[in-house]
Amino acid sequence: MEFIGEAGSHNMIINSMKNKLLSSVLLSFALVATQNVAISNACTTLMYQDGKGKFYAGRTLELSMELPYEVTFIPAGTQYVSKTGDKNPALTYTTKHKILSVTVPDGDSNNLDIIEGMNDKGLTFSLLAFADTSGPKESFNKTKAALAAIDLGSWTLGQFENVEQVKAALAEQPVLLTPLAILGGAETPFHYVLHDKTGASIVIEFANNKQSVYDNPVGVMTNAPTFPWHLTNLNNYTFFSNVDVSKNKFGSLKVSQPDSGIATVALPASNTSVGRFVRAVYYSHFVQKVDNPDDATRTLAHVMNNFDRPKDITIDMSGSASEGITMTPDTGAPYSSEYTSWTALHDIDRGYMYLRTYNSMNYTRLDINKLLKSTKQLSIPLSTIDGMAEDATDALLSGK
């Protein structure tokens, strides 16, 4: 994706030191990505509904290394060019909505790919790793410009108000997977989850050489296998209940639990994609439905704590990692370990995004409503909020 900017002329100004650092990080990442060490990147996204019917979304991002993440505000009127190859016409589009997001530079600091975001209408977008990606072949009319899948974030959040509009547009717009240099040429190994203010949710997935758009009745997604597989797997958990059964009798022997919490005994304990999907469904379904939006946000934060992973809790030895996206930090260690690099919470109705990095104890709030008057793209390193509490909107506005 090439970022043209507002009115085709606005570009972010980043000093030469930052550009050199960014280039070094991306080059190291790309070189390491070609090594024969793989690790399945773990991400979890879910929705929570409060007692008054308002919706909130949360996601974690797990990786075995830090990328140069940015917190980015994208104004309406921003123009993009999405390229799917030299032989295909580029798709150009201009954003209609303003976007608050977490981004990663794609090749250079002027091209920012959205990993997580929310627009001014309450539509949210999450990009999650999906190692089983296989997209459709280029069978569409070549005179019609295709969208590169990596640009789905800016295209959806910039163009649409809700998931129904996204579904209708995807029925007409060809989307192609493209090789990503930052991932050693892997073809956009992700799937995508969108939520909106009504509680509607969809998963966009590229598998078995086709694109599918699924309605998401549980509002949850993790990683591989495919989304339909995860839904089918829930048939194995029809016994779920949050009611503790703490007493029973076997013959004449009476047994009882001396503690509470036995209801979660059958929850998968692993941090695998399958285990996290089941746990996310359980927690988002059974957690208390509070009425106050601040309480609801805190409740969501407590839920997301169940998916927070510190470093070295699980490790993959060099050459023996499970199938997944190839990316391992060049630390010299004989293993790699995924950890929760950051967690995002969305108060969809009020337009708040909360972020917590690995180096933070607290969430930092960003208010999209305070940014709506800005006509410039604004971006700060995600690390700016390390150790910061409460509100970082003013820092984003000032660019410091």
Side-chain angles (χ1 to χ4, degrees):
M1 173 192 67
E2 177 183 350
F3 168 64
I4 296 179
E6 185 183 4
S9 62
H10 176 68
N11 288 301
M12 293 185 301
I13 300 174
I14 298 182
N15 61 48
S16 59
M17 182 179 295
K18 183 177 178 183
N19 276 327
K20 290 178 181 178
L21 176 61
L22 174 59
S23 298
S24 175
V25 171
L26 295 180
L27 178 60
S28 297
F29 183 76
L31 290 174
V32 172
T34 62
Q35 297 179 3
N36 188 29
V37 181
I39 190 162
S40 297
N41 313 110
C43 308
T44 302
T45 182
L46 57 84
M47 291 193 80
Y48 165 70
Q49 184 178 18
D50 70 16
K52 291 188 175 181
K54 303 293 185 181
F55 288 91
Y56 306 75
R59 75 85 50 88
T60 65
L61 184 140
E62 281 74 36
L63 206 58
S64 56
M65 63 185 297
E66 289 295 323
L67 296 183
Y69 302 109
E70 300 270 336
V71 180
T72 304
F73 172 75
I74 302 168
T78 301
Q79 298 178 23
Y80 289 96
V81 177
S82 183
K83 299 178 180 179
T84 58
D86 296 336
K87 297 180 180 180
N88 301 327
L91 176 69
T92 60
Y93 54 95
T94 302
T95 59
K96 302 175 184 177
H97 302 292
K98 303 187 178 187
I99 304 167
L100 182 58
S101 60
V102 178
T103 59
V104 169
D106 183 7
D108 65 69
S109 58
N110 291 325
N111 300 329
L112 299 174
D113 292 331
I114 295 176
I115 298 176
E116 180 74 16
M118 174 177 61
N119 70 13
D120 53 19
K121 297 299 181 181
L123 181 67
T124 73
F125 172 90
S126 300
L127 176 152
L128 285 73
F130 181 57
D132 295 338
T133 295
S134 62
K137 305 304 178 183
E138 300 182 27
S139 58
F140 63 92
N141 186 341
K142 293 298 183 62
T143 61
K144 188 170 184 178
L147 174 73
I150 194 62
D151 297 331
L152 275 164
S154 61
W155 185 76
T156 56
L157 294 180
Q159 306 294 306
F160 309 110
E161 297 184 13
N162 53 55
V163 298
E164 284 302 318
Q165 291 180 0
V166 174
K167 287 169 59 178
L170 285 173
E172 303 294 331
Q173 175 60 57
V175 182
L176 291 179
L177 305 180
T178 56
L180 303 178
I182 195 173
L183 296 182
E187 285 200 340
T188 326
F190 308 109
H191 49 197
Y192 316 86
V193 182
L194 292 99
H195 313 300
D196 66 25
K197 281 187 175 182
T198 70
S201 178
I202 57 172
V203 174
I204 305 169
E205 200 165 70
F206 298 86
N208 303 314
N209 297 320
K210 66 178 182 179
Q211 172 189 303
S212 300
V213 180
Y214 300 106
D215 289 321
N216 186 349
V218 293
V220 167
M221 193 57 203
T222 54
N223 311 103
T226 62
F227 180 62
W229 188 99
H230 283 294
L231 293 185
T232 299
N233 184 50
L234 290 179
N235 290 314
N236 293 313
Y237 297 92
T238 57
F239 56 86
F240 266 172
S241 168
N242 64 338
V243 178
D244 286 334
V245 179
S246 300
K247 294 183 178 181
N248 209 334
K249 188 175 182 180
F250 302 113
S252 60
L253 176 65
K254 293 180 179 180
V255 294
S256 64
Q257 269 291 316
D259 197 359
S260 64
I262 194 66
T264 61
V265 67
L267 281 178
S270 77
N271 281 318
T272 64
S273 174
V274 172
R276 286 181 287 106
F277 189 98
V278 174
R279 293 207 312 276
V281 170
Y282 180 93
Y283 280 105
S284 61
H285 179 75
F286 287 116
V287 72
Q288 181 185 26
K289 312 303 181 190
V290 297
D291 291 343
N292 181 278
D294 289 335
D295 291 339
T297 303
R298 282 187 283 269
T299 298
L300 176 61
H302 283 295
V303 169
M304 298 311 298
N305 284 343
N306 291 280
F307 305 95
D308 185 63
R309 189 187 305 189
K311 295 178 181 179
D312 287 3
I313 284 298
T314 63
I315 64 174
D316 285 281
M317 301 305 296
S318 179
S320 65
S322 58
E323 181 180 348
I325 299 171
T326 305
M327 53 175 70
T328 303
D330 190 13
T331 61
Y335 65 86
S336 61
S337 176
E338 287 190 17
Y339 59 94
T340 303
S341 181
W342 49 268
T343 304
L345 312 175
H346 298 283
D347 182 333
I348 297 175
D349 186 62
R350 293 191 294 177
Y352 297 160
M353 180 166 73
Y354 297 82
L355 293 170
R356 184 181 68 188
T357 65
Y358 189 86
N359 294 322
S360 299
M361 290 288 290
N362 302 309
Y363 282 94
T364 298
R365 187 180 76 182
L366 297 121
D367 183 354
I368 195 172
N369 302 294
K370 290 185 178 181
L371 300 166
L372 294 182
K373 292 182 179 180
S374 177
T375 59
K376 295 182 179 180
Q377 177 162 318
L378 307 168
S379 194
I380 57 174
L382 178 61
S383 58
T384 302
I385 72 170
D386 287 352
M388 186 182 292
E390 297 299 328
D391 197 306
T393 310
D394 290 339
L396 180 56
L397 282 168
S398 67
K400 297 181 181 180

